[in-house]
Amino acid sequence: MTLSRIVMRLARNPGTEFAGGDDHRGYALTAPLTADGKLDETAYAKHKNDCAVRRFAPDEDPADGRLAKRGQRWFFDYDEDDAVDDEPVYRLGEHRFAVGEYVTVTDEDGRPLTYKVVEVQPVN
């Protein structure tokens, strides 16, 4: 099983303060992918402790968490004991992680923001 490092940067989000996007805000995700670039649920179940996420932005310290799944709902979790910090990812299990694809993450204020996949590399 190979893990991939996936980097997503904030894309254009009209109607928000990020209308033009922001390359300095985003997520770096470590997760197993299938050959077609989707999350590998079988590998995730066996290696979920290796699946991590880091949220980064210029005006805040990086937040380190984990990729988590409850039922069919995938989310980024920064504190196992506190569900308030969970960031749901819209239909994450259906997304294809390939450069140029888009992913919607609900931020801590409950706003859905769109991110663009800018990098997908195997983790050494």
Side-chain angles (χ1 to χ4, degrees):
M1 192 258 341
T2 301
L3 291 171
S4 294
R5 179 175 186 268
I6 304 150
V7 178
M8 304 180 299
R9 298 193 184 271
L10 191 62
R12 293 182 304 140
N13 283 271
T16 72
E17 68 271 29
F18 306 113
D22 186 343
D23 281 345
H24 303 289
R25 294 179 181 278
Y27 295 87
L29 175 64
T30 302
L33 299 178
T34 61
D36 63 351
K38 294 185 179 182
L39 288 176
D40 186 331
E41 292 191 47
T42 302
Y44 169 80
K46 295 176 185 173
H47 301 280
K48 61 183 166 185
N49 291 336
D50 298 320
C51 297
V53 64
R54 173 172 264 212
R55 182 180 64 215
F56 56 89
D59 54 351
E60 61 185 55
D61 290 335
D64 293 316
R66 65 186 182 95
L67 176 63
K69 186 174 189 229
R70 200 173 294 128
Q72 292 302 308
R73 188 177 79 98
W74 291 90
F75 56 97
F76 299 152
D77 183 22
Y78 300 98
D79 182 351
E80 283 186 58
D81 299 326
D82 185 4
V84 173
D85 72 340
D86 294 349
E87 292 176 331
V89 185
Y90 181 71
R91 301 174 81 167
L92 187 65
E94 298 173 26
H95 281 287
R96 183 172 169 262
F97 289 97
V99 173
E101 296 288 331
Y102 292 89
V103 178
T104 301
V105 180
T106 302
D107 73 3
E108 62 274 1
D109 295 326
R111 298 181 304 174
L113 294 174
T114 303
Y115 293 81
K116 185 176 184 178
V117 177
V118 297
E119 178 184 328
V120 179
Q121 297 291 327
V123 174
N124 297 333

Short mmCIF file of all heavy atoms in Angstrom, two decimals, residues 19-73:
data_model
loop_
_atom_site.label_atom_id
_atom_site.label_comp_id
_atom_site.label_asym_id
_atom_site.label_seq_id
_atom_site.Cartn_x
_atom_site.Cartn_y
_atom_site.Cartn_z
N ALA A 19 -12.53 35.65 -3.20
CA ALA A 19 -13.09 35.63 -4.55
C ALA A 19 -12.03 35.27 -5.60
O ALA A 19 -12.32 34.59 -6.57
CB ALA A 19 -13.73 36.97 -4.88
N GLY A 20 -10.79 35.69 -5.37
CA GLY A 20 -9.72 35.39 -6.31
C GLY A 20 -8.89 34.18 -5.94
O GLY A 20 -7.90 33.86 -6.59
N GLY A 21 -9.27 33.48 -4.86
CA GLY A 21 -8.49 32.35 -4.37
C GLY A 21 -7.33 32.82 -3.52
O GLY A 21 -7.14 34.02 -3.32
N ASP A 22 -6.56 31.89 -2.99
CA ASP A 22 -5.40 32.21 -2.16
C ASP A 22 -4.48 31.00 -2.14
O ASP A 22 -4.78 30.00 -1.48
CB ASP A 22 -5.83 32.59 -0.75
CG ASP A 22 -4.69 33.08 0.12
OD1 ASP A 22 -3.52 32.85 -0.24
OD2 ASP A 22 -4.97 33.68 1.18
N ASP A 23 -3.36 31.08 -2.85
CA ASP A 23 -2.41 29.97 -2.92
C ASP A 23 -1.71 29.69 -1.59
O ASP A 23 -1.03 28.68 -1.46
CB ASP A 23 -1.35 30.24 -3.99
CG ASP A 23 -1.86 29.95 -5.39
OD1 ASP A 23 -2.91 29.28 -5.51
OD2 ASP A 23 -1.22 30.40 -6.34
N HIS A 24 -1.86 30.59 -0.63
CA HIS A 24 -1.18 30.42 0.66
C HIS A 24 -2.08 29.76 1.70
O HIS A 24 -1.68 29.58 2.85
CB HIS A 24 -0.68 31.77 1.18
CG HIS A 24 0.23 32.45 0.21
ND1 HIS A 24 1.50 31.99 -0.04
CD2 HIS A 24 0.04 33.51 -0.60
CE1 HIS A 24 2.07 32.76 -0.95
NE2 HIS A 24 1.21 33.69 -1.31
N ARG A 25 -3.30 29.39 1.32
CA ARG A 25 -4.25 28.71 2.21
C ARG A 25 -4.59 27.36 1.60
O ARG A 25 -4.84 27.27 0.40
CB ARG A 25 -5.55 29.49 2.34
CG ARG A 25 -5.43 30.80 3.01
CD ARG A 25 -6.78 31.52 3.09
NE ARG A 25 -6.58 32.79 3.72
CZ ARG A 25 -6.51 32.97 5.03
NH1 ARG A 25 -6.68 31.96 5.84
NH2 ARG A 25 -6.29 34.16 5.53
N GLY A 26 -4.62 26.34 2.45
CA GLY A 26 -5.00 25.06 1.91
C GLY A 26 -4.77 23.92 2.87
O GLY A 26 -4.69 24.11 4.09
N TYR A 27 -4.64 22.74 2.29
CA TYR A 27 -4.49 21.50 3.04
C TYR A 27 -3.43 20.63 2.38
O TYR A 27 -3.35 20.57 1.16
CB TYR A 27 -5.80 20.71 3.05
CG TYR A 27 -6.92 21.41 3.77
CD1 TYR A 27 -7.74 22.31 3.11
CD2 TYR A 27 -7.15 21.18 5.12
CE1 TYR A 27 -8.77 22.96 3.76
CE2 TYR A 27 -8.17 21.83 5.79
CZ TYR A 27 -8.97 22.71 5.11
OH TYR A 27 -9.99 23.36 5.77
N ALA A 28 -2.67 19.94 3.21
CA ALA A 28 -1.79 18.87 2.76
C ALA A 28 -2.33 17.60 3.41
O ALA A 28 -2.44 17.52 4.64
CB ALA A 28 -0.35 19.13 3.16
N LEU A 29 -2.69 16.65 2.61
CA LEU A 29 -3.35 15.44 3.07
C LEU A 29 -2.49 14.23 2.72
O LEU A 29 -1.93 14.16 1.63
CB LEU A 29 -4.71 15.35 2.36
CG LEU A 29 -5.59 14.14 2.55
CD1 LEU A 29 -6.04 14.02 3.99
CD2 LEU A 29 -6.81 14.26 1.63
N THR A 30 -2.39 13.29 3.65
CA THR A 30 -1.72 12.01 3.39
C THR A 30 -2.79 10.93 3.46
O THR A 30 -3.45 10.78 4.49
CB THR A 30 -0.62 11.74 4.44
OG1 THR A 30 0.32 12.81 4.42
CG2 THR A 30 0.09 10.43 4.15
N ALA A 31 -2.97 10.21 2.34
CA ALA A 31 -4.03 9.21 2.27
C ALA A 31 -3.71 8.18 1.19
O ALA A 31 -2.99 8.49 0.24
CB ALA A 31 -5.36 9.88 1.96
N PRO A 32 -4.28 6.97 1.30
CA PRO A 32 -4.11 5.97 0.24
C PRO A 32 -5.11 6.23 -0.88
O PRO A 32 -6.27 6.55 -0.63
CB PRO A 32 -4.40 4.66 0.96
CG PRO A 32 -5.38 5.03 2.03
CD PRO A 32 -5.01 6.43 2.46
N LEU A 33 -4.65 6.11 -2.11
CA LEU A 33 -5.51 6.31 -3.27
C LEU A 33 -5.57 5.05 -4.13
O LEU A 33 -4.61 4.29 -4.19
CB LEU A 33 -4.99 7.47 -4.13
CG LEU A 33 -4.91 8.84 -3.45
CD1 LEU A 33 -4.31 9.86 -4.42
CD2 LEU A 33 -6.27 9.29 -2.96
N THR A 34 -6.68 4.88 -4.79
CA THR A 34 -6.81 3.78 -5.75
C THR A 34 -6.08 4.18 -7.03
O THR A 34 -5.65 5.32 -7.18
CB THR A 34 -8.29 3.52 -6.07
OG1 THR A 34 -8.86 4.69 -6.65
CG2 THR A 34 -9.07 3.11 -4.82
N ALA A 35 -6.00 3.27 -7.98
CA ALA A 35 -5.33 3.54 -9.24
C ALA A 35 -5.98 4.70 -10.00
O ALA A 35 -5.32 5.42 -10.74
CB ALA A 35 -5.31 2.29 -10.12
N ASP A 36 -7.30 4.91 -9.80
CA ASP A 36 -7.98 6.01 -10.49
C ASP A 36 -8.02 7.30 -9.65
O ASP A 36 -8.71 8.25 -10.00
CB ASP A 36 -9.38 5.60 -10.94
CG ASP A 36 -10.32 5.27 -9.79
OD1 ASP A 36 -9.86 5.17 -8.63
OD2 ASP A 36 -11.53 5.11 -10.05
N GLY A 37 -7.27 7.34 -8.54
CA GLY A 37 -7.11 8.57 -7.78
C GLY A 37 -8.17 8.84 -6.72
O GLY A 37 -8.22 9.93 -6.17
N LYS A 38 -8.99 7.86 -6.41
CA LYS A 38 -9.99 8.04 -5.35
C LYS A 38 -9.46 7.46 -4.04
O LYS A 38 -8.52 6.66 -4.04
CB LYS A 38 -11.30 7.37 -5.74
CG LYS A 38 -11.94 8.04 -6.94
CD LYS A 38 -13.28 7.46 -7.25
CE LYS A 38 -13.89 8.19 -8.44
NZ LYS A 38 -15.22 7.70 -8.75
N LEU A 39 -10.06 7.89 -2.93
CA LEU A 39 -9.64 7.33 -1.64
C LEU A 39 -9.84 5.83 -1.64
O LEU A 39 -10.89 5.33 -2.04
CB LEU A 39 -10.44 7.95 -0.49
CG LEU A 39 -10.11 9.39 -0.15
CD1 LEU A 39 -11.05 9.89 0.95
CD2 LEU A 39 -8.67 9.53 0.30
N ASP A 40 -8.83 5.10 -1.17
CA ASP A 40 -8.88 3.65 -1.09
C ASP A 40 -9.40 3.29 0.30
O ASP A 40 -8.66 3.31 1.28
CB ASP A 40 -7.49 3.08 -1.32
CG ASP A 40 -7.48 1.57 -1.38
OD1 ASP A 40 -8.34 0.92 -0.74
OD2 ASP A 40 -6.59 1.02 -2.06
N GLU A 41 -10.70 3.00 0.40
CA GLU A 41 -11.33 2.75 1.70
C GLU A 41 -10.77 1.51 2.39
O GLU A 41 -10.64 1.49 3.61
CB GLU A 41 -12.84 2.64 1.54
CG GLU A 41 -13.47 3.95 1.16
CD GLU A 41 -14.98 3.93 1.26
OE1 GLU A 41 -15.50 3.44 2.29
OE2 GLU A 41 -15.64 4.39 0.32
N THR A 42 -10.43 0.49 1.63
CA THR A 42 -9.87 -0.73 2.23
C THR A 42 -8.52 -0.43 2.86
O THR A 42 -8.26 -0.82 4.00
CB THR A 42 -9.75 -1.84 1.17
OG1 THR A 42 -11.04 -2.07 0.61
CG2 THR A 42 -9.22 -3.12 1.78
N ALA A 43 -7.66 0.25 2.13
CA ALA A 43 -6.34 0.61 2.66
C ALA A 43 -6.47 1.60 3.82
O ALA A 43 -5.73 1.52 4.80
CB ALA A 43 -5.46 1.19 1.56
N TYR A 44 -7.42 2.52 3.72
CA TYR A 44 -7.64 3.48 4.81
C TYR A 44 -7.99 2.73 6.10
O TYR A 44 -7.46 3.04 7.16
CB TYR A 44 -8.75 4.47 4.46
CG TYR A 44 -9.17 5.28 5.66
CD1 TYR A 44 -8.42 6.37 6.08
CD2 TYR A 44 -10.30 4.93 6.40
CE1 TYR A 44 -8.78 7.09 7.21
CE2 TYR A 44 -10.67 5.64 7.51
CZ TYR A 44 -9.91 6.72 7.93
OH TYR A 44 -10.27 7.41 9.06
N ALA A 45 -8.88 1.75 6.01
CA ALA A 45 -9.31 1.00 7.20
C ALA A 45 -8.12 0.33 7.90
O ALA A 45 -8.08 0.23 9.12
CB ALA A 45 -10.36 -0.03 6.82
N LYS A 46 -7.15 -0.11 7.12
CA LYS A 46 -5.98 -0.79 7.68
C LYS A 46 -4.90 0.18 8.15
O LYS A 46 -4.08 -0.18 8.99
CB LYS A 46 -5.38 -1.74 6.63
CG LYS A 46 -6.30 -2.87 6.26
CD LYS A 46 -5.68 -3.71 5.16
CE LYS A 46 -6.65 -4.77 4.69
NZ LYS A 46 -6.14 -5.49 3.52
N HIS A 47 -4.87 1.39 7.59
CA HIS A 47 -3.77 2.33 7.86
C HIS A 47 -4.25 3.72 8.25
O HIS A 47 -3.58 4.70 7.98
CB HIS A 47 -2.87 2.43 6.61
CG HIS A 47 -2.30 1.12 6.21
ND1 HIS A 47 -1.21 0.56 6.81
CD2 HIS A 47 -2.70 0.24 5.25
CE1 HIS A 47 -0.95 -0.60 6.25
NE2 HIS A 47 -1.84 -0.82 5.31
N LYS A 48 -5.42 3.80 8.90
CA LYS A 48 -5.98 5.13 9.17
C LYS A 48 -5.10 5.97 10.09
O LYS A 48 -5.14 7.20 10.02
CB LYS A 48 -7.40 5.05 9.68
CG LYS A 48 -7.61 4.31 10.95
CD LYS A 48 -9.11 4.29 11.25
CE LYS A 48 -9.42 3.30 12.33
NZ LYS A 48 -10.86 3.20 12.54
N ASN A 49 -4.27 5.33 10.91
CA ASN A 49 -3.38 6.11 11.78
C ASN A 49 -2.29 6.83 10.99
O ASN A 49 -1.65 7.74 11.52
CB ASN A 49 -2.74 5.22 12.85
CG ASN A 49 -3.75 4.75 13.86
OD1 ASN A 49 -4.79 5.39 14.07
ND2 ASN A 49 -3.48 3.63 14.49
N ASP A 50 -2.07 6.43 9.74
CA ASP A 50 -1.08 7.08 8.88
C ASP A 50 -1.68 8.18 8.01
O ASP A 50 -0.96 8.86 7.29
CB ASP A 50 -0.42 6.04 7.96
CG ASP A 50 0.32 4.98 8.75
OD1 ASP A 50 0.98 5.33 9.75
OD2 ASP A 50 0.23 3.80 8.36
N CYS A 51 -2.99 8.34 8.08
CA CYS A 51 -3.70 9.31 7.23
C CYS A 51 -3.83 10.63 7.99
O CYS A 51 -4.58 10.73 8.96
CB CYS A 51 -5.06 8.77 6.84
SG CYS A 51 -4.94 7.26 5.84
N ALA A 52 -3.10 11.62 7.53
CA ALA A 52 -3.02 12.89 8.25
C ALA A 52 -3.45 14.05 7.37
O ALA A 52 -3.51 13.94 6.14
CB ALA A 52 -1.59 13.11 8.72
N VAL A 53 -3.74 15.16 8.02
CA VAL A 53 -4.06 16.39 7.31
C VAL A 53 -3.39 17.56 8.03
O VAL A 53 -3.25 17.53 9.25
CB VAL A 53 -5.60 16.61 7.22
CG1 VAL A 53 -6.22 16.79 8.59
CG2 VAL A 53 -5.93 17.79 6.32
N ARG A 54 -2.96 18.53 7.26
CA ARG A 54 -2.40 19.77 7.81
C ARG A 54 -3.07 20.92 7.09
O ARG A 54 -3.02 21.02 5.87
CB ARG A 54 -0.90 19.85 7.63
CG ARG A 54 -0.34 21.22 8.05
CD ARG A 54 1.14 21.21 8.04
NE ARG A 54 1.54 20.95 9.41
CZ ARG A 54 2.65 21.43 9.97
NH1 ARG A 54 3.50 22.11 9.25
NH2 ARG A 54 2.93 21.18 11.21
N ARG A 55 -3.74 21.77 7.87
CA ARG A 55 -4.36 22.98 7.32
C ARG A 55 -3.36 24.12 7.47
O ARG A 55 -2.79 24.29 8.54
CB ARG A 55 -5.65 23.30 8.07
CG ARG A 55 -6.39 24.52 7.53
CD ARG A 55 -7.66 24.78 8.30
NE ARG A 55 -7.36 25.12 9.67
CZ ARG A 55 -8.11 24.78 10.72
NH1 ARG A 55 -9.22 24.09 10.55
NH2 ARG A 55 -7.77 25.14 11.94
N PHE A 56 -3.15 24.88 6.41
CA PHE A 56 -2.20 25.98 6.49
C PHE A 56 -2.81 27.26 5.94
O PHE A 56 -3.65 27.24 5.04
CB PHE A 56 -0.90 25.64 5.75
CG PHE A 56 -1.08 25.26 4.31
CD1 PHE A 56 -1.07 26.23 3.31
CD2 PHE A 56 -1.27 23.94 3.93
CE1 PHE A 56 -1.23 25.89 1.98
CE2 PHE A 56 -1.43 23.59 2.59
CZ PHE A 56 -1.41 24.57 1.62
N ALA A 57 -2.41 28.37 6.55
CA ALA A 57 -2.84 29.71 6.14
C ALA A 57 -1.83 30.70 6.69
O ALA A 57 -1.24 30.46 7.75
CB ALA A 57 -4.24 30.01 6.68
N PRO A 58 -1.63 31.81 5.99
CA PRO A 58 -0.59 32.76 6.43
C PRO A 58 -0.89 33.46 7.75
O PRO A 58 0.02 33.89 8.44
CB PRO A 58 -0.53 33.77 5.28
CG PRO A 58 -1.83 33.65 4.58
CD PRO A 58 -2.29 32.23 4.77
N ASP A 59 -2.17 33.54 8.13
CA ASP A 59 -2.53 34.28 9.33
C ASP A 59 -2.83 33.39 10.53
O ASP A 59 -3.41 33.84 11.52
CB ASP A 59 -3.72 35.20 9.05
CG ASP A 59 -4.91 34.45 8.46
OD1 ASP A 59 -4.76 33.26 8.11
OD2 ASP A 59 -5.98 35.06 8.33
N GLU A 60 -2.45 32.12 10.46
CA GLU A 60 -2.67 31.20 11.59
C GLU A 60 -1.60 30.12 11.61
O GLU A 60 -0.97 29.84 10.59
CB GLU A 60 -4.07 30.58 11.52
CG GLU A 60 -4.32 29.75 10.28
CD GLU A 60 -5.75 29.24 10.17
OE1 GLU A 60 -6.68 30.05 10.23
OE2 GLU A 60 -5.92 28.02 10.03
N ASP A 61 -1.41 29.54 12.78
CA ASP A 61 -0.48 28.42 12.90
C ASP A 61 -1.05 27.22 12.16
O ASP A 61 -2.28 27.04 12.13
CB ASP A 61 -0.25 28.05 14.37
CG ASP A 61 0.53 29.10 15.12
OD1 ASP A 61 1.30 29.85 14.48
OD2 ASP A 61 0.36 29.19 16.35
N PRO A 62 -0.20 26.38 11.57
CA PRO A 62 -0.72 25.17 10.92
C PRO A 62 -1.49 24.31 11.93
O PRO A 62 -1.13 24.25 13.11
CB PRO A 62 0.53 24.44 10.46
CG PRO A 62 1.60 25.47 10.42
CD PRO A 62 1.25 26.47 11.48
N ALA A 63 -2.56 23.69 11.47
CA ALA A 63 -3.36 22.79 12.30
C ALA A 63 -3.15 21.38 11.78
O ALA A 63 -3.41 21.09 10.61
CB ALA A 63 -4.83 23.18 12.24
N ASP A 64 -2.65 20.50 12.65
CA ASP A 64 -2.42 19.11 12.28
C ASP A 64 -3.55 18.24 12.80
O ASP A 64 -3.98 18.38 13.95
CB ASP A 64 -1.09 18.62 12.85
CG ASP A 64 0.09 19.31 12.20
OD1 ASP A 64 0.08 19.45 10.97
OD2 ASP A 64 1.01 19.72 12.93
N GLY A 65 -4.04 17.36 11.93
CA GLY A 65 -5.13 16.48 12.32
C GLY A 65 -5.04 15.18 11.55
O GLY A 65 -3.97 14.78 11.08
N ARG A 66 -6.19 14.54 11.41
CA ARG A 66 -6.23 13.25 10.73
C ARG A 66 -7.43 13.19 9.81
O ARG A 66 -8.42 13.91 10.01
CB ARG A 66 -6.28 12.12 11.74
CG ARG A 66 -7.55 12.11 12.57
CD ARG A 66 -7.51 11.05 13.68
NE ARG A 66 -8.77 11.05 14.40
CZ ARG A 66 -9.79 10.24 14.15
NH1 ARG A 66 -9.69 9.34 13.21
NH2 ARG A 66 -10.90 10.32 14.84
N LEU A 67 -7.30 12.35 8.81
CA LEU A 67 -8.43 12.05 7.94
C LEU A 67 -9.28 11.04 8.70
O LEU A 67 -8.77 10.03 9.19
CB LEU A 67 -7.94 11.45 6.62
CG LEU A 67 -9.01 10.99 5.64
CD1 LEU A 67 -9.87 12.16 5.17
CD2 LEU A 67 -8.37 10.29 4.46
N ALA A 68 -10.58 11.30 8.81
CA ALA A 68 -11.45 10.41 9.58
C ALA A 68 -12.72 10.12 8.77
O ALA A 68 -13.09 10.85 7.87
CB ALA A 68 -11.80 11.05 10.91
N LYS A 69 -13.36 9.03 9.16
CA LYS A 69 -14.58 8.61 8.49
C LYS A 69 -15.55 8.08 9.54
O LYS A 69 -15.18 7.30 10.40
CB LYS A 69 -14.27 7.52 7.47
CG LYS A 69 -15.46 7.13 6.64
CD LYS A 69 -15.06 6.16 5.54
CE LYS A 69 -16.23 5.98 4.63
NZ LYS A 69 -16.51 4.60 4.35
N ARG A 70 -16.79 8.55 9.44
CA ARG A 70 -17.86 8.08 10.32
C ARG A 70 -19.03 7.73 9.41
O ARG A 70 -19.60 8.61 8.78
CB ARG A 70 -18.23 9.19 11.31
CG ARG A 70 -18.95 8.69 12.53
CD ARG A 70 -19.16 9.79 13.58
NE ARG A 70 -17.91 10.25 14.15
CZ ARG A 70 -17.53 11.53 14.21
NH1 ARG A 70 -18.30 12.48 13.74
NH2 ARG A 70 -16.39 11.88 14.77
N GLY A 71 -19.34 6.44 9.28
CA GLY A 71 -20.35 6.02 8.32
C GLY A 71 -19.83 6.29 6.92
O GLY A 71 -18.74 5.88 6.57
N GLN A 72 -20.61 7.02 6.12
CA GLN A 72 -20.16 7.40 4.77
C GLN A 72 -19.57 8.80 4.74
O GLN A 72 -19.18 9.29 3.69
CB GLN A 72 -21.33 7.31 3.79
CG GLN A 72 -21.80 5.89 3.54
CD GLN A 72 -20.67 5.01 3.02
OE1 GLN A 72 -20.00 5.34 2.05
NE2 GLN A 72 -20.44 3.89 3.68
N ARG A 73 -19.50 9.46 5.89
CA ARG A 73 -19.06 10.85 5.96
C ARG A 73 -17.57 10.95 6.27
O ARG A 73 -17.10 10.46 7.30
CB ARG A 73 -19.86 11.57 7.06
CG ARG A 73 -19.66 13.04 7.13
CD ARG A 73 -20.56 13.64 8.19
NE ARG A 73 -20.02 13.46 9.52
CZ ARG A 73 -19.34 14.37 10.19
NH1 ARG A 73 -19.11 15.54 9.64
NH2 ARG A 73 -18.87 14.12 11.40
#
